[in-house]
Amino acid sequence: MAGGPVIWISSFGIFSAPTGILIFNFACVRYSPRVPDATRTGEKVIRGIPVSAGVCRGRLVVMTDAAASIPRHEIPALATQSEIDRLEQALMATRQQVLGVQAKVESAMGAKDASIFDAHLLVLEDPTLLDEVMKLISEKRLNAEAAFSDVADHYMKSLAAVDDDYLRERATDMRDVTSRVLANLAGRASEHELPKLREPCIIVAHDLPPSKTAQLDKKMVLGFVTDVGGKTSHTAILARSLQIPAVVGLKNASRTLESGQYALLDGYNGIIILNPTDQTLFEYGQIVRKQVDLAAKLQDVRDKPAVTFDGASITLSANVEGADDIELVKDSGAEGVGLFRTEYLFINRAVSPTEEEQFQEYRKVAEALNPQPVIIRTLDLGGDKFASHVDVPKEMNPFLGWRAIRYCLQEPAVFRAQLRAILRASAFGNVKIMYPMISGLQELTEANAMLDACKEELRREGVAFNDAMDVGVMIEIPSAVLIADALAKRVKFFSIGTNDLIQYSLAVDRLNERIAHLYDPAHPAILRLIQLTVEAAHRHGIWCGVCGEMASDPVFVPLLLGLGVDELSAAGALVPPVKFLVRRLKMAEAKELAAFALNSENGAEVLKRAQQLARDIAPSLFENQ
Ligand code: PEP
Ligand code: MG
């Protein structure tokens, strides 16, 4: 159960230490939209897309991303001196801020820890860097923001490329200082204010890609609100795994909401209520109370097998992002890991993790869960998951670009280190490897050739590994479905990545809130693609799982099982409700639903029927709907 020990119960709900988060927060549970009464004095209701259930209330902190919107324009010749003055003021303000932080750290932790800020101060005084910036302003007539960020960017890239740990760390200092300078130029607080938060808050941002969420002190975050995004954006996936409410697609919340405003966030219905009245708080308190019963029911099934009411066994696994999730997997009642998203090890750091670091992380998970399987997916950087130190050029269509296996095959040193780390970890548990974004046979062949080469090296070095480690592929590109027979002959398992399969098949960007209504897991085309994949897998005697978000949604679980899926891998927090539903489901009903769906011509009627079945067999998951 999430949230830690209960510390207080109020009319609003049951809160946990140390974050004050409401602990009864089950993402599968849908409540009938509360109809906010516009006449309640002082309340303001804003609607978005609900992506992670639960309710929280607290102060808003609006994150401004100075770096994402760096103004760039030519300045008139006469204005160069005032532009230089403006930059100098921003540099002075930044210096004051850094000195302030340094003083606080020194009094709390001692001079040694505070000395790390000396490097930040040095950046602000670096004559070569500042000369270059001034030249861009006075000679090229570039505005201060663009000039500073261009020069700093050039320095960061050069530092990050040097083969010296100390110098590479300086790239991080440069990034931090640059962000502060840009925020000061823009006259606003930067995301650097976040770590200084003293109380739990609701984070509001234009976007919260993993590179940013990785920096958040999760204990201080009650919920997420973003302008952009959809149900399968990685902000949404993270919120569900943290069991905190999230509402995305609010279009301009980060511009209209203000830090310090008090709000209630309803992740069930996708609404944010500013200045909620006592009546509203009371009503939400009632909803939370109802979850106490459900919590007990879910706890009851935790240690029971994932077997349908009529005796069909399925494998129910969890999705993880690192060794920190081990306890969550164990508490969830999952039977191992169906998807280890390794890219999170690469995000928010100055340099990529070494082979040894990766090995230690994979080994921890493999050992802790042994003999349960741990499926480690090789690096899926790109799309909406970028590591700031990895030099990936900005692309027009990053989801169609240099991503995942495409990146790895062109960066053999990175791929090789990961393959060796995974192989070494395979000696310590039931490790399997899985390649993301396979679009054709060639990628599988090349990846396997590299895997074989790594095995050969390890053999020569006398390092232990499991030579028979299973290799699988993610099926998340329509072309992979259509060549599934060829793939199935060469691998031990398939795992369908429905998040991407849906976006690529329906041509619906999974992050774009304007077309989120077209992102339809029940679309007949998607169901047929799943069916084709499962059939190809079974024809060749291998198993087929689903690790996309469809597997975490009790509404779609009967459909997937009816289509013959053998394994479901859900966010750890959502394993209990999925198991609860599976144990009430008859396979015959699931097959009937799948047959109906495969004959259907429209997703809306499939969804309706899937919702009806899920509600009939597990009404407590859908109370009040
Ligand atoms: C998917 O695409 O369904 C998947 C599980 O991978 P990711 O969400 O990390 O792209
Ligand atoms: Mg994917």
Side-chain angles (χ1 to χ4, degrees):
M1 184 58 53
V6 173
I7 52 166
W8 85 92
I9 299 179
S10 77
S11 64
F12 181 58
I14 301 176
F15 296 81
S16 69
T19 62
I21 292 173
L22 282 166
I23 64 170
F24 296 104
N25 179 11
F26 301 99
C28 65
V29 183
R30 289 135 204 251
Y31 294 99
S32 57
R34 170 188 172 276
V35 184
D37 178 354
T39 61
R40 289 179 208 224
T41 42
E43 263 189 16
K44 184 171 176 209
V45 178
I46 308 167
R47 290 180 181 283
I49 304 167
V51 295
S52 180
V55 180
C56 67
R57 59 173 178 162
R59 301 259 165 227
L60 304 180
V61 167
V62 181
M63 280 173 79
T64 52
D65 185 357
S69 53
I70 298 165
R72 177 174 297 272
H73 50 259
E74 193 179 330
I75 45 168
L78 283 177
T80 51
Q81 189 50 49
S82 67
E83 197 64 4
I84 288 173
D85 293 347
R86 204 164 70 81
L87 174 66
E88 280 175 348
Q89 275 161 20
L91 292 172
M92 252 154 53
T94 307
R95 189 177 156 74
Q96 289 310 321
Q97 286 164 356
V98 175
L99 285 170
V101 175
Q102 188 172 36
K104 275 190 206 147
V105 171
E106 187 163 351
S107 71
M109 297 160 75
K112 186 164 170 291
D113 286 302
S115 68
I116 55 169
F117 292 100
D118 289 342
H120 291 209
L121 293 170
L122 284 176
V123 171
L124 292 168
E125 287 160 9
D126 186 313
T128 324
L129 179 143
L130 294 180
D131 260 13
E132 278 183 50
V133 178
M134 300 300 177
K135 257 195 206 147
L136 281 182
I137 298 175
S138 50
E139 292 171 17
K140 299 267 182 248
R141 308 226 311 265
L142 199 55
N143 62 311
E145 288 91 341
F148 194 90
S149 93
D150 284 1
V151 175
D153 204 44
H154 176 70
Y155 273 56
M156 276 185 272
K157 287 196 173 123
S158 316
L159 286 169
V162 176
D163 190 16
D164 177 301
D165 283 351
Y166 175 80
L167 286 177
R168 275 183 294 174
E169 286 297 332
R170 300 290 70 80
T172 318
D173 296 326
M174 183 78 81
R175 188 171 303 115
D176 287 353
V177 171
T178 303
S179 174
R180 279 186 194 279
V181 172
L182 291 175
N184 281 317
L185 278 168
R188 53 194 182 191
S190 77
E191 60 264 38
H192 284 280
E193 303 309 313
L194 273 170
K196 288 196 247 155
L197 290 171
R198 294 275 179 269
E199 59 171 331
C201 59
I202 298 170
I203 302 291
V204 180
H206 175 68
D207 187 15
L208 279 171
S211 55
K212 240 190 233 167
T213 49
Q215 297 175 42
L216 293 172
D217 177 356
K218 312 288 186 309
K219 289 197 285 302
M220 289 295 176
V221 181
L222 296 173
F224 290 143
V225 172
T226 59
D227 296 344
V228 298
K231 280 202 158 96
T232 58
S233 60
H234 284 91
T235 312
I237 295 173
L238 177 76
R240 286 194 288 271
S241 81
L242 291 173
Q243 294 180 277
I244 58 174
V247 178
V248 304
L250 282 132
K251 299 198 171 75
N252 57 4
S254 70
R255 273 177 282 136
T256 55
L257 298 175
E258 284 170 23
S259 287
Q261 283 180 312
Y262 184 75
L264 185 144
L265 180 64
D266 171 0
Y268 297 114
N269 301 303
I271 51 185
I272 178 153
I273 304 173
L274 291 176
N275 306 319
T277 60
D278 286 349
Q279 178 62 23
T280 300
L281 292 178
F282 175 77
E283 286 170 12
Y284 274 96
Q286 301 289 92
I287 288 175
V288 172
R289 266 171 222 282
K290 285 191 181 152
Q291 295 317 298
V292 177
D293 286 351
L294 179 58
K297 285 182 188 158
L298 295 186
Q299 191 63 18
D300 274 355
V301 298
R302 201 192 81 149
D303 296 322
K304 298 194 172 131
V307 176
T308 61
F309 195 72
D310 47 0
S313 258
I314 61 139
T315 306
L316 183 51
S317 329
N319 296 347
V320 301
E321 283 157 18
D324 287 349
D325 293 332
I326 292 170
E327 286 315 308
L328 181 60
V329 176
K330 287 183 172 170
D331 287 351
S332 72
E335 303 159 58
V337 169
L339 168 64
F340 186 150
R341 285 187 165 98
T342 55
E343 46 283 0
Y344 285 86
L345 308 180
F346 287 69
I347 288 172
N348 196 32
R349 28 185 309 155
V351 286
S352 291
T354 59
E355 174 190 323
E356 181 62 23
E357 265 178 89
Q358 292 185 63
F359 161 63
Q360 294 297 349
E361 186 85 3
Y362 305 150
R363 172 186 171 165
K364 249 189 241 166
V365 181
E367 266 182 344
L369 299 175
N370 199 22
Q372 294 180 338
V374 173
I375 300 179
I376 304 181
R377 176 176 76 181
T378 59
L379 198 53
D380 185 16
L381 275 184
D384 65 344
K385 291 174 286 192
F386 290 100
S388 47
H389 64 279
V390 178
D391 201 6
V392 177
K394 258 206 165 353
E395 297 177 316
M396 291 288 279
N397 295 300
F399 274 113
L400 301 181
W402 203 37
R403 185 187 165 189
I405 198 74
R406 300 162 180 193
Y407 168 82
C408 286
L409 291 174
Q410 288 178 41
E411 294 288 322
V414 178
F415 198 29
R416 185 173 154 268
Q418 182 171 45
L419 293 175
R420 284 176 54 101
I422 295 173
L423 281 166
R424 287 168 61 195
S426 72
F428 295 88
N430 186 0
V431 171
K432 300 174 198 291
I433 191 172
M434 168 162 86
Y435 306 126
M437 288 280 292
I438 292 291
S439 65
L441 257 190
Q442 185 60 21
E443 288 153 336
L444 174 63
T445 310
E446 282 179 38
N448 274 340
M450 288 208 46
L451 186 68
D452 286 341
C454 290
K455 285 183 176 179
E456 196 44 50
E457 278 174 16
L458 291 174
R459 236 179 253 120
R460 274 202 308 272
E461 293 164 23
V463 177
F465 66 92
N466 173 14
D467 199 13
M469 176 177 71
D470 283 357
V471 177
V473 286
M474 288 198 67
I475 302 290
E476 49 186 348
I477 300 183
S479 60
V481 177
L482 299 177
I483 58 155
D485 279 295
L487 293 170
K489 279 187 225 159
R490 294 164 171 87
V491 295
K492 288 282 169 31
F493 64 92
F494 283 164
S495 187
I496 305 177
T498 48
N499 304 340
D500 279 318
L501 185 62
I502 297 169
Q503 86 161 342
Y504 294 135
S505 308
L506 303 182
V508 177
D509 180 342
R510 64 197 261 193
L511 303 183
N512 188 337
E513 69 287 353
R514 287 193 171 78
I515 48 170
H517 60 287
L518 297 174
Y519 190 95
D520 179 11
H523 192 295
I526 300 301
L527 304 176
R528 283 172 208 159
L529 290 170
I530 295 174
Q531 181 201 28
L532 288 175
T533 308
V534 172
E535 285 177 354
H538 290 176
R539 256 196 305 279
H540 296 277
I542 65 169
W543 60 266
C544 179
V546 173
C547 62
E549 295 302 295
M550 265 180 100
S552 298
D553 190 334
V555 166
F556 295 120
V557 164
L559 205 44
L560 294 177
L561 297 183
L563 289 169
V565 164
D566 307 286
E567 181 239 23
L568 299 170
S569 193
L574 303 183
V575 166
V578 169
K579 193 188 277 185
F580 182 80
L581 180 123
V582 165
R583 292 180 56 83
R584 279 165 175 70
L585 175 71
K586 292 193 190 110
M587 214 47 185
E589 295 165 330
K591 289 210 179 307
E592 205 180 302
L593 174 67
F596 169 80
L598 290 171
N599 277 318
S600 165
E601 290 177 349
N602 87 71
E605 68 175 14
V606 175
L607 178 64
K608 199 161 157 222
R609 202 136 151 192
Q611 284 172 330
Q612 193 55 54
L613 176 62
R615 243 183 257 142
D616 286 349
I617 57 179
S620 47
L621 292 182
F622 304 88
E623 245 192 325
N624 289 349
Q625 204 175 42

